[in-house]
């Protein structure tokens, strides 16, 4: 079976010449469908750079990234946008919700680009908000929600399209510890119940402990890669 | 998808009501002037056409010109009634020929008096000018020399008001004449002069009893077909040269005036004005377009993060471009709508001020919206492209 994600000798260099920064150096990585991966490592070790490449928001300077066997480097901008639209959900540290727009509308947004009809869109967005525990808050704007609630809206938005891959770059970064574990539980539950492959960047060891696999980056390289829990073979 | 993007555009515009309103002002003025321009232009040429029709059908008028006597130019000698008869006899395609002896003076009836023109002519004049008889009748050829008159509507009103003038007498100088008819009003012409301020009398009556000469001041000719006008005009010219003994190559001391040429000259003036105001409209549209471009560029910068979010969740560059382009177009179409309303209101006011009939030109609405949309697309494209070219990660990092 082809892995969902496969990185081969991936390098990402920012800038050129003397000032060039090697954010990723020869990263080889494979992630199977249904896994729950925590990416850890010191600041500046290339975690976000790696996530952006996995999320098709950025392309490697060299090396190949295959998503479901498809060479992402051979896709153009539009094709990469379509891949993001249909297969990938992103959760950012800073939530990145549209301001002055209700939770419901934020969650509906990706479905608009998927051209889901309005009625269906509304139903699925409501369902997703309910799943992340925000029933009754549909019509609140981000400014009217707490940090934890905003992050749950962001998770709902990332999952409403039923992606195969959920990328979360420090999803609990600016939340207090009670909220942190709520979000982590939510991600674990989505992974378990919906079979979404989750790749999550975190700084906290106790959160990394909860993942099925833990990868540590250092200076743009994979320093360690350990399996904490077995990946159950999923029957569709 | 298009509908969703459209909904987003409206929403964004509603969020910045004041800013949007100010931005569209240029378009409102530009489109408004185009609408007002075309409408008022159309109203004024309709008015000119109506005036021309009212003036009479296919009219030529023969006037004496100026004659050179050494270094001084003086008014050339007038015509004679025989000249009019000769034209009628020798030129084909004529409907009517009316000689005209003109005189002016104070007309008195009872306690009222009014300074007016007296036109001595034949009954053909009334028909050639397309006047309709109000009451009574017009003098016949057999009444040449008899003291009877027909009143233009203004004179009738000034001298008699609501009273019936038929059978009453009107005095001009020492001549007292009996009113036998009145004419219906035509109103003012395109130049604003009153077309009803005159008294008609038989030609000989004016010649003998008011002027004391056999002079004819001009000859009015109505041509039966419009297409015959140029030929008739040149025939009259050569006939009159012959009759007035003007040698070939010598300057004529009279001229034949084609009323249609006057109308065309009038149209041309309107046309020049339209072109001038059209330029102003074009400049406003340009300025309005630049305004839209400016505000859209501001909007793209302000919403960089939003653009990043949209791209991260799967919007293609094309969809981002479409969204911003649509916003610009909606903005300019709203300006177009305002412009149409403003333009129609302005043209109503202008028409009323200029004494023109209210005219509605339906196609201008379509043209106005096409113009507005074109401005939106043209000036919205650059900002929209700027939005579409953003790199998603950099956009997300913005501010
Ligand atoms: N756009 C950029 N231009 C130049 N250098 C960059 C850019 N983005 C990242 N870098 C550099 O690449 C390296 C890796 O950055 P990255 O953001 O991937 O680290 P990180 O592991 O996510 O760190 P953190 O834990 O602080 O978020 C860093 O040295 C950073 O300075
Ligand atoms: Mg990072």
């Amino acid at each position: 079976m082809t892995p969902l994600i496969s990185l081969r000798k991936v390098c990402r260099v920012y800038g050129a010449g003397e000032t060039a920064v090697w954010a990723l150096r020869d990263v080889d990585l494979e992630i199977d469908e249904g896994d729950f991966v925590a990416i850890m490592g010191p600041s500046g070790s290339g975690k976000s750079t790696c996530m952006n490449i996995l999320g098709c928001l950025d392309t490697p300077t060299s090396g190949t990234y295959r998503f479901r066997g498809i060479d992402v480097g051979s896709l153009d901008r539009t094709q990469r946008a379509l891949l993001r639209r249909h297969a990938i959900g992103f959760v950012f540290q800073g939530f990145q919700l549209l301001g002055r727009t209700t939770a419901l509308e934020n969650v509906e947004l990706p479905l608009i680009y998927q051209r889901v009809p309005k009625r269906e869109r509304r139903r699925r967005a409501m369902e997703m908000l309910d799943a992340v525990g925000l029933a009754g808050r549909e019509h609140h704007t981000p400014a009217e929600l707490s940090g934890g609630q905003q992050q749950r809206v962001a998770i709902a938005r990332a999952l409403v399209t039923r992606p195969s891959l959920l990328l979360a770059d420090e999803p609990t970064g600016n939340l207090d510890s009670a909220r942190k574990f709520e979000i982590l539980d939510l991600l674990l539950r989505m992974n378990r119940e919906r079979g979404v492959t989750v790749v999550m960047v975190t700084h906290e060891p106790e959160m990394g402990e909860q993942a099925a696999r833990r990868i540590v980056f250092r200076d743009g390289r994979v320093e360690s890669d350990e399996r904490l829990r077995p990946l159950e073979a999923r029957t569709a | 998808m298009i509908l969703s993007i459209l909904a987003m555009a409206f929403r964004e515009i509603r969020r910045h009501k004041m800013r949007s309103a100010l931005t569209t002002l240029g378009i409102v003025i530009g489109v408004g002037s185009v609408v007002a321009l075309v409408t008022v232009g159309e109203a004024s040429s309709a008015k000119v056409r109506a005036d021309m029709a009212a003036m009479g059908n296919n009219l030529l008028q023969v006037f004496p010109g100026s004659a050179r006597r050494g270094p001084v130019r003086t008014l050339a000698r007038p015509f004679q009634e025989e000249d009019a008869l000769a034209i009628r006899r020798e030129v084909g395609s004529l409907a009517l020929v009316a000689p005209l002896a003109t005189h002016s003076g104070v007309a008195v009836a009872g306690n009222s008096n009014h300074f007016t023109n007296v036109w001595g002519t034949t009954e053909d004049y009334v028909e050639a000018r397309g006047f309709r008889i109000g009451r009574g009748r017009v003098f016949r050829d057999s009444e040449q020399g008899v003291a009877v008159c027909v009143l233009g509507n203004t004179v009738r009103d000034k001298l008699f008001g609501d009273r019936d003038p038929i059978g009453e007498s009107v005095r001009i100088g020492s001549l007292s004449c009996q009113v036998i008819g009145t004419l219906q009003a035509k109103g003012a012409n395109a130049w604003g002069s009153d077309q009803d301020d005159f008294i008609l009398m038989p030609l000989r009556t004016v010649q003998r009893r008011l002027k004391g000469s056999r002079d004819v001041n001009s000859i009015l000719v109505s041509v039966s077909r419009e297409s015959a006008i140029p030929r008739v005009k040149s025939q009259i010219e050569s006939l009159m040269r012959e009759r007035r003994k003007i040698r070939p190559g010598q300057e004529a001391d009279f001229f034949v005036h084609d009323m249609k040429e006057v109308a065309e000259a009038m149209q041309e003036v309107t046309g020049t004005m339209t072109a001038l105001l059209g330029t102003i409209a074009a400049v406003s549209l340009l300025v309005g377009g630049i305004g839209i471009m400016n505000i859209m560029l501001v909007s793209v910068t302000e919403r960089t993060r939003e653009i990043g979010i949209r791209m991260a969740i799967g919007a293609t560059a094309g969809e981002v471009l479409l969204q911003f382009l649509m916003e610009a177009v909606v903005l300019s179409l709203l300006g177009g709508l305002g412009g149409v309303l403003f333009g129609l209101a302005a043209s109503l006011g202008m028409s009323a001020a200029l004494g023109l009939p209210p005219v509605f030109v339906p196609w201008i609405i379509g043209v106005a919206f096409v113009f507005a949309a074109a401005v939106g697309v043209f000036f919205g494209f650059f900002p929209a492209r700027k939005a579409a070219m953003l790199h998603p990660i950099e956009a997300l990092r913005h501010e």
Side-chain angles (χ1 to χ4, degrees):
Chain A
M1 193 182 92
T2 47
L4 181 66
I5 284 169
S6 140
L7 295 179
R8 280 279 164 273
K9 292 201 162 311
V10 164
C11 299
R12 179 66 172 96
V13 187
Y14 290 110
E18 304 255 310
T19 58
V21 176
W22 288 71
L24 293 177
R25 302 170 198 253
D26 292 332
V27 173
D28 288 310
L29 191 64
E30 281 188 2
I31 296 173
D32 287 320
E33 195 110 42
D35 211 345
F36 193 110
V37 182
I39 292 185
M40 305 193 65
S43 187
S45 56
K47 306 182 292 295
S48 294
T49 303
C50 185
M51 293 293 271
N52 290 338
I53 286 173
L54 293 182
C56 302
L57 287 171
D58 196 7
T59 44
T61 308
S62 65
T64 53
Y65 168 32
R66 285 176 189 280
F67 183 88
R68 282 229 170 87
I70 303 162
D71 182 1
V72 175
S74 70
L75 304 180
D76 63 21
R77 267 191 101 186
T78 303
Q79 288 169 320
R80 273 184 274 132
L82 295 178
L83 190 56
R84 288 198 294 276
R85 176 185 302 177
H86 293 286
I88 299 169
F90 237 111
V91 179
F92 303 92
Q93 176 174 359
F95 319 135
Q96 302 284 24
L97 298 175
L98 290 190
R100 291 192 291 179
T101 304
T102 64
L104 185 64
E105 287 166 326
N106 264 293
V107 176
E108 274 185 63
L109 199 60
L111 297 179
I112 290 178
Y113 289 109
Q114 282 194 347
R115 285 143 174 85
V116 174
K118 190 172 174 94
R119 195 180 283 269
E120 162 93 349
R121 208 158 76 204
R122 190 121 297 193
R123 188 185 59 74
R124 278 171 62 181
M126 292 287 261
E127 210 174 82
M128 202 59 228
L129 280 168
D130 188 36
V132 299
L134 282 178
R137 297 293 165 96
E138 297 89 352
H139 300 292
H140 291 227
T141 61
E144 299 161 351
L145 294 170
S146 72
Q149 287 168 332
Q150 287 185 54
Q151 194 58 298
R152 279 188 273 170
V153 174
I155 291 169
R157 182 182 66 189
L159 289 176
V160 76
T161 59
R162 302 176 190 134
S164 349
L165 176 63
L166 179 72
L167 298 168
D169 194 352
E170 297 192 54
T172 59
N174 38 18
L175 299 179
D176 61 57
S177 60
R179 304 287 146 250
K180 274 179 191 169
F181 283 97
E182 268 176 35
I183 296 298
L184 180 66
D185 283 343
L186 182 60
L187 292 178
L188 285 166
R189 186 159 60 84
M190 293 298 158
N191 170 251
R192 206 166 50 240
E193 290 173 3
R194 299 179 186 235
V196 191
T197 309
V198 178
V199 179
M200 174 186 76
V201 172
T202 181
H203 269 119
E204 272 112 335
E206 59 271 36
M207 300 201 62
E209 293 292 325
Q210 302 292 317
R213 180 177 167 190
R214 183 171 57 198
I215 298 173
V216 180
F217 274 74
R218 185 174 298 277
D219 296 334
R221 295 178 202 276
V222 176
E223 187 189 52
S224 72
D225 182 351
E226 51 193 321
R227 180 151 296 284
L228 308 178
R229 282 184 285 125
L231 174 61
E232 303 127 38
R234 209 168 288 274
T235 45
Chain B
M1 186 69 202
I2 291 283
L3 282 181
S4 310
I5 291 184
L6 202 63
M8 287 181 209
F10 271 107
R11 186 185 179 144
E12 200 55 43
I13 289 165
R14 244 181 298 127
R15 258 181 203 168
H16 306 281
K17 284 198 193 71
M18 193 63 184
R19 177 162 110 179
S20 305
L22 290 175
T23 305
T24 55
L25 212 55
I27 304 284
V28 170
I29 292 170
V31 167
S33 8
V34 171
V35 169
L37 206 90
V38 169
T39 310
V40 173
E42 193 52 44
S44 84
S45 49
K47 172 76 173 155
V48 170
R49 276 198 302 275
D51 284 344
M52 284 304 126
M55 190 176 282
N57 309 315
N58 306 331
L59 289 184
L60 294 177
Q61 199 160 9
V62 191
F63 289 104
S66 57
R68 195 195 294 276
R69 287 218 171 72
V72 274
R73 275 185 170 274
T74 54
L75 189 68
R77 68 211 133 98
F79 304 109
Q80 302 295 308
E81 194 179 349
E82 287 69 38
D83 292 316
L85 296 175
I87 291 173
R88 178 176 304 165
R89 205 169 49 236
E90 301 194 8
V91 180
S93 309
L94 298 188
L96 304 158
V97 178
L100 215 62
T102 60
H103 182 78
S104 58
V106 179
V108 184
N111 295 330
S112 318
N113 63 72
H114 176 61
F115 183 87
T116 189
N117 297 301
V118 180
W119 293 340
T121 185
T122 61
E123 64 175 323
D124 282 356
Y125 180 83
V126 173
E127 192 184 334
R129 287 289 318 272
F131 275 106
R132 294 226 181 97
I133 295 165
R135 312 192 56 138
R137 61 181 183 86
V138 181
F139 41 79
R140 302 184 194 92
D141 278 350
S142 61
E143 284 169 304
Q144 286 293 340
V146 180
V148 289
C149 63
V150 174
L151 305 183
N153 190 57
T154 304
V155 178
R156 180 201 58 71
D157 187 52
K158 286 278 184 345
L159 295 184
F160 295 98
D162 295 334
R163 287 181 294 128
D164 182 4
I166 305 293
E168 300 289 324
S169 87
V170 171
R171 191 170 54 75
I172 296 136
S174 61
L175 174 66
S176 192
C177 64
Q178 193 191 13
V179 178
I180 58 166
T182 62
L183 299 176
Q184 290 182 15
K186 270 191 185 181
N189 65 12
W191 297 260
S193 70
D194 186 352
Q195 301 183 88
D196 302 307
D197 192 2
F198 63 89
I199 296 177
L200 287 187
M201 283 188 201
L203 175 67
R204 300 243 173 83
T205 313
V206 173
Q207 285 179 332
R208 285 182 203 151
R209 303 176 69 170
L210 284 174
K211 293 171 72 95
S213 77
R214 309 213 336 116
D215 293 350
V216 165
N217 302 93
S218 71
I219 302 168
L220 190 69
V221 177
S222 160
V223 184
S224 54
R225 277 173 293 113
E226 192 181 339
S227 60
I229 289 175
R231 187 175 52 75
V232 168
K233 191 178 172 193
S234 74
Q235 279 182 5
I236 291 173
E237 275 163 357
S238 54
L239 176 65
M240 293 311 290
R241 286 180 77 94
E242 195 182 300
R243 289 184 66 83
R244 291 164 81 85
K245 308 206 165 40
I246 299 161
R247 285 191 309 276
Q250 196 183 339
E251 193 188 344
D253 65 350
F254 66 92
F255 55 91
V256 183
H257 210 91
D258 181 353
M259 293 312 212
K260 197 143 272 123
E261 282 171 6
V262 180
E264 276 157 11
M266 188 71 187
Q267 297 270 38
E268 222 163 89
V269 172
T270 323
T272 318
M273 249 167 58
T274 306
L276 195 78
L277 292 171
T279 314
I280 295 172
V283 170
S284 319
L285 280 178
L286 186 75
V287 171
I290 292 171
I292 286 187
M293 178 151 86
N294 184 46
I295 219 69
M296 288 311 293
L297 283 172
V298 169
S299 181
V300 168
T301 308
E302 272 179 3
R303 289 156 67 196
T304 300
R305 226 162 52 85
E306 175 193 326
I307 295 164
I309 293 170
R310 289 180 185 276
M311 286 178 159
I313 63 173
T316 61
E319 284 159 347
V320 171
L321 183 114
L322 196 64
Q323 182 188 347
F324 280 85
L325 198 58
M326 199 89 101
E327 238 174 86
V329 171
V330 166
L331 209 54
S332 60
L333 281 179
L334 286 176
L337 180 68
V340 165
L341 296 179
F342 167 68
L344 288 180
S347 54
L348 247 134
M350 278 158 79
S351 293
L354 294 171
L356 300 175
V359 169
F360 175 64
V361 189
W363 57 263
I364 192 61
I365 309 258
V367 169
F369 281 113
V370 168
F371 260 52
V375 167
V377 169
F378 187 80
F379 290 97
F381 187 77
F382 176 63
R385 204 180 65 121
K386 192 180 166 208
M389 302 268 274
L390 286 173
H391 192 284
I393 297 169
E394 275 149 35
L396 280 169
R397 282 233 190 92
H398 192 259
E399 94 195 330

